[in-house]
Amino acid sequence: MEKHPSGIKPETWLVSAGRPTEPGAPLNVPPILASNFIIGGGREYARGSGTPTWEALEAIVGGLEGGKAVAFASGLAAVAAVFDQLPVGAVVVIPEDCYQGVASLSARGAERGRWSVQRVAVDDTRGWIHASAAADLIWLESPSNPLLVVADLEAILAAARKPGAIVAVDNTFATPLNQQPLDLGATVSVQSATKFIGGHSDLLAGVVTTRDDGLWHALRKSRELTGATPGTFEAFLAVRGARTLALRLQRAQQTAMILAERLEGHPLVARVRYPGLPSHPTHGIARRVLKGFGTMISFDLLGGAEFADAVCRKVRLIRHATSLGAVESTMERRAAVPGQEHLPPSLLRLSVGIEDPDDLWADLDSAIRSGAL
């Protein structure tokens, strides 16, 4: 693995890591479109040995997270590889508010007798500390999706836990620029590179990073045996996208704060969920554990599902689409997603992009006001 040079800031690492260094080599790692390699050089078949393109992505994210990374075909493939490490009969603890893929995967495993599942509120720090003593997998997500609750990772990750337990943090919303789970004591940090790492809504990829060498090898073996390998061109695009992560995140976070403050004062908005607002229930924790408040805003409209759906149809600059973390702003009503029906019916999740904040506000305000008619 490419080491993180002492004194190099993350913004510089994003640009410099994962590049060839040999004289005459290309400046960027190209997409290596090969499934097999000539025997004798240590690399024989891509599914088991990887490719230089995958390794460039792993070098960037691994160094950024402060560990060794394994790239996967998608964020959910990365999640599944972590769950794949569990013995039959394991105890799994996940947040009440979390990515629907994690909820579905854990529930399916429980139905088949693979493990038992407990759910704990993201902000129930005592509940997490208590559950950690007997859990085989503690799965944390902070900020959570889509309610944007921030967990007290410092306290939870410092708690005593069962020997051999895996403590995983889904770091997708925060990104490694805003949060360093491995430094706080997590076993693994998980990124859906589909989101902020790629940043352009044009790829599927996931990355798991750990400092446990044995677990790193086990994750690579899971990738090999399940065939959850990243596409070469997807890895190439993720590397290209990662180069601008710091700039994109800085701009989008600034805009998200502006929009959150304006939404909080809107007469047709009932509640704004953004960790950067002093009114947010876990704002104090967010100030302590996060370097930035992120680009995601969830807000509840003063109306029902039909009103929220109308707003989604009426936006023009903001795209009515799922997913997040890209250069373009997207928005959706999360309770319309299968498995998310328990959420407030008028809750909209907004992923803020890098557009001009005034243009985004004009679009959003107009859609809200016309949607109410």
Side-chain angles (χ1 to χ4, degrees), residues 83-121:
F83 275 76
D84 191 40
Q85 310 309 310
L86 298 177
V88 174
V91 175
V92 175
V93 186
I94 67 171
E96 287 183 355
D97 181 43
C98 68
Y99 168 49
Q100 184 58 29
V102 169
S104 298
L105 177 67
S106 60
R108 187 176 185 185
E111 290 167 2
R112 295 181 173 189
R114 283 287 311 278
W115 47 65
S116 62
V117 179
Q118 301 175 20
R119 301 193 75 159
V120 178

Side-chain angles (χ1 to χ4, degrees), residues 184-313:
L184 296 175
T187 317
V188 297
S189 181
V190 180
Q191 290 285 331
S192 174
T194 306
K195 314 303 195 289
F196 291 96
I197 301 296
H200 291 78
S201 302
D202 55 7
L203 64 94
L204 292 174
V207 184
V208 181
T209 307
T210 182
R211 292 176 181 168
D212 184 318
D213 196 56
L215 182 55
W216 178 77
H217 283 287
L219 290 165
R220 282 178 60 95
K221 181 57 69 173
S222 289
R223 179 180 70 181
E224 177 185 353
L225 295 179
T226 61
T229 54
T232 295
F233 196 62
E234 285 80 358
F236 173 77
L237 289 174
V239 168
R240 175 171 289 192
R243 302 300 187 197
T244 60
L245 172 61
L247 293 172
R248 290 186 282 106
L249 185 66
Q250 180 184 40
R251 169 61 182 243
Q253 281 185 153
Q254 292 171 345
T255 299
M257 190 72 213
I258 293 170
L259 296 182
E261 290 173 339
R262 293 180 182 180
L263 282 167
E264 197 168 40
H266 200 289
L268 297 175
V269 174
R271 179 177 182 179
V272 181
R273 307 167 192 264
Y274 183 68
L277 292 174
S279 59
H280 192 280
T282 55
H283 174 69
I285 297 174
R287 286 179 60 87
R288 176 161 47 84
V289 303
L290 295 174
K291 296 177 183 176
F293 298 120
T295 76
M296 303 300 299
I297 304 171
S298 289
F299 59 98
D300 303 8
L301 295 169
L302 280 171
E306 291 185 4
F307 176 24
D309 287 336
V311 173
C312 289
R313 289 194 301 269

